[in-house]
Amino acid sequence: MYRVLLVDDEPLITIGLQALLDWEDYGFEIVTTAESGEEALAYLKENPIDILITDILMGEMSGLDLIKEVKKVQPKVKSIVLTGYMEFSYIKQGLLLGIENYLVKPVDEEELLTTIQNIGRKLKVMMGSNQEQESSTLMDNTLWRFLNGEIDKNDCLERLSLYNIQFNQPFYNVSILNFENYHKPEISKEIRKFIEEHYSAVCLYSPNQDILIIFGSTDEKELFHFNEGLVQDLKGELGNAGLFYLSMGKPVKMVEELEDSFAVARDYSLLQLFSEPNVLISERLTIDKHEELKKQQEMKENIVKMLLKADKETLKLVDSYVQELTRKSTFTSPQAVKKYTFDLISYIHYSLKPDDLSYYTASVEKIVYSTDINQMRAILKEYCREIIFSIHNQVNLRSPIVQNVLDYIHVHYDQGISLKTLGQQFHVNAIYLGQLFQKEVGVVFSEYLNRYRLEKAKELLKTTHYRAGEIGKKVGYSDTTYFYKQFRKTVGATPSEWRKI
């Protein structure tokens, strides 16, 4: 739990903030509240905190004075200021103190939640480091939220005006720099400073401490030259970055489209698993990822098959899956590894559909806050151990006939299976088999088979170029129209829409 201190000379404000969020659900604990800067400072001198949320204008000690004093006793504390209106003269002073964000009263719930979650990710990444607060923190948070579609253009530009930053170039693109030594603050600051001094660019740190670069130029070709030039600089003058991948989002003409450029850059950054390091990943780089994705899919299917048998050898397969993520390079960004870790754990969950969701939700939360590949490997293996234990207990309680039926479905789901054919296969009355299946599995046979086929269809939509109708037939639907109907009913989108998403 990250410890939060709320300070405002109006008690109703701190009461309201406490009620605004279910703080503990998000990993935060409000340790106390204070009605003045002096009261807050007295508490801080005796008790450690992680986040300070304070009003700007209070009695004798203002919120900014409080932040200055806090930096002397607890320099790693992250600060958010509350303002009754747009007090820009005060906010500009706050920039120099490295405030994370300013929130206008009445505080917007979504903006508060986003701000503290970003701070939580930063604290996790920086834990154990001596990284100092940057005077550009508010700018970074503003740009990060704009690139993620959380604030509009006018709000973004208004906040950036505090730094005298304007977007007036004809073309832009967003690039993501993942580099081996991202956890070393002095190297990260040197790289950022170099880019902003040598290129027409604005940089920001993501909550995971990657460097995001917004390049501006008079034409698209020059944007490519900037990105290619930075690759050469990272190989030469900026060699202390270590191994790296620079992922270039598509060029755009309007500031409003920077979000789209960033989305493309994020997609490209995931391709680092299939490429040698120290390259520019863009539309000009040819990477055949289909064989790699096919191999990953086979490994995921094998892991699920072994889990169904409650086989402890599954853990070795998990090790192999994680090793594949770093086969091309000793460095892969934590964010890329995290994505493929999510892929595996979600595939297991939706393939097995365990009754107890607690293992899955707990593992997902741990992955969100994990910072390196070894942590993610440990989370995956612990999740699989829990699944093995759960399945082992289920198998012991489940009748042999139902277990045989489940094993048969998982292999022959693409064929014409029915209770009648299964009754003939296993020499049991079809009506009795249906009743027994529902009692022990928790859903009727037809629903279980339908769900299983649709999960297999999703995997083919993600990893192949087959048309949706072909995929329906490959997973056992002889009637294409029925497949479309079931997919839309269960998933909430057509197969083509889901593939785009």
Side-chain angles (χ1 to χ4, degrees), residues 214-442:
I214 302 175
F215 287 105
S217 179
T218 53
D219 61 66
E220 291 187 35
K221 287 184 178 179
E222 191 173 35
L223 288 175
F224 279 99
H225 289 322
F226 286 162
N227 281 270
E228 289 165 346
L230 180 54
V231 168
Q232 297 308 312
D233 290 331
L234 289 162
K235 289 179 179 179
E237 191 168 345
L238 297 176
N240 56 359
L243 300 175
F244 68 88
Y245 294 92
L246 182 64
S247 305
M248 178 182 175
K250 67 177 182 180
V252 294
K253 290 184 178 180
M254 295 187 293
V255 173
E256 293 91 333
E257 296 176 332
L258 282 173
E259 183 182 345
D260 298 331
S261 182
F262 179 46
V264 172
R266 279 188 302 190
D267 286 342
Y268 282 146
S269 72
L270 297 175
L271 299 181
Q272 61 188 265
L273 273 69
F274 316 124
S275 169
E276 299 295 334
N278 299 355
V279 296
L280 173 64
I281 304 177
S282 71
E283 62 183 31
R284 298 183 179 184
L285 182 67
T286 303
I287 297 178
D288 183 11
K289 65 177 181 178
H290 298 295
E291 278 303 312
E292 298 286 350
L293 288 173
K294 182 180 178 183
K295 187 175 180 180
Q296 271 193 15
Q297 180 61 23
E298 289 172 354
M299 291 183 76
K300 288 192 286 188
E301 289 178 357
N302 287 333
I303 287 170
V304 167
K305 287 176 183 176
M306 293 184 76
L307 280 173
L308 284 167
K309 298 175 183 177
D311 190 337
K312 291 184 178 178
E313 291 296 305
T314 307
L315 302 180
K316 292 182 179 178
L317 268 184
V318 170
D319 277 330
S320 299
Y321 180 88
V322 175
Q323 286 169 6
E324 279 295 309
L325 301 182
T326 54
R327 182 167 55 84
K328 289 282 187 180
S329 169
T330 54
F331 167 70
T332 306
S333 75
Q335 288 311 296
V337 175
K338 192 175 290 188
K339 188 269 183 187
Y340 291 99
T341 304
F342 272 129
D343 272 3
L344 175 57
I345 210 165
S346 297
Y347 181 79
I348 293 171
H349 175 73
Y350 287 106
S351 294
L352 301 182
K353 295 195 181 301
D355 295 330
D356 188 347
L357 293 176
S358 61
Y359 305 140
Y360 176 68
T361 53
S363 298
V364 166
E365 184 176 346
K366 289 177 185 175
I367 292 169
V368 167
Y369 289 104
S370 60
T371 55
D372 67 58
I373 192 167
N374 290 323
Q375 288 178 350
M376 290 180 238
R377 186 202 311 268
I379 294 165
L380 276 173
K381 292 175 80 168
E382 181 61 28
Y383 176 69
C384 287
R385 284 191 195 96
E386 296 286 1
I387 291 291
I388 289 169
F389 180 74
S390 174
I391 289 175
H392 182 74
N393 287 343
Q394 286 177 8
V395 169
N396 288 343
L397 295 172
R398 193 176 284 157
S399 61
I401 183 63
V402 170
Q403 188 58 49
N404 287 337
V405 167
L406 287 169
D407 291 342
Y408 188 87
I409 291 171
H410 298 152
V411 175
H412 303 285
Y413 63 89
D414 57 341
Q415 301 172 16
I417 304 176
S418 67
L419 282 173
K420 183 178 179 181
T421 60
L422 288 170
Q424 294 171 348
Q425 173 78 20
F426 296 105
H427 310 291
V428 64
N429 179 274
I431 296 175
Y432 170 72
L433 179 59
Q435 293 171 341
L436 190 63
F437 187 95
Q438 183 177 2
K439 179 183 176 182
E440 295 190 11
V441 179

Side-chain angles (χ1 to χ4, degrees), residues 78-89:
K78 303 293 185 184
S79 300
I80 302 169
V81 296
L82 306 175
T83 171
Y85 48 96
M86 306 304 270
E87 298 154 330
F88 282 114
S89 60

Side-chain angles (χ1 to χ4, degrees), residues 169-206:
Q169 295 275 23
F171 292 91
Y172 296 95
N173 93 274
V174 180
S175 296
I176 302 172
L177 175 58
N178 304 119
F179 59 104
E180 189 174 14
N181 292 323
Y182 71 94
H183 55 284
K184 297 181 178 179
E186 66 282 0
I187 292 176
S188 189
K189 288 174 67 176
E190 179 187 340
I191 293 171
R192 176 174 180 163
K193 182 180 179 183
F194 180 93
I195 295 171
E196 292 182 330
E197 288 179 351
H198 290 79
Y199 292 91
S200 173
V202 175
C203 297
L204 62 142
Y205 297 124
S206 76

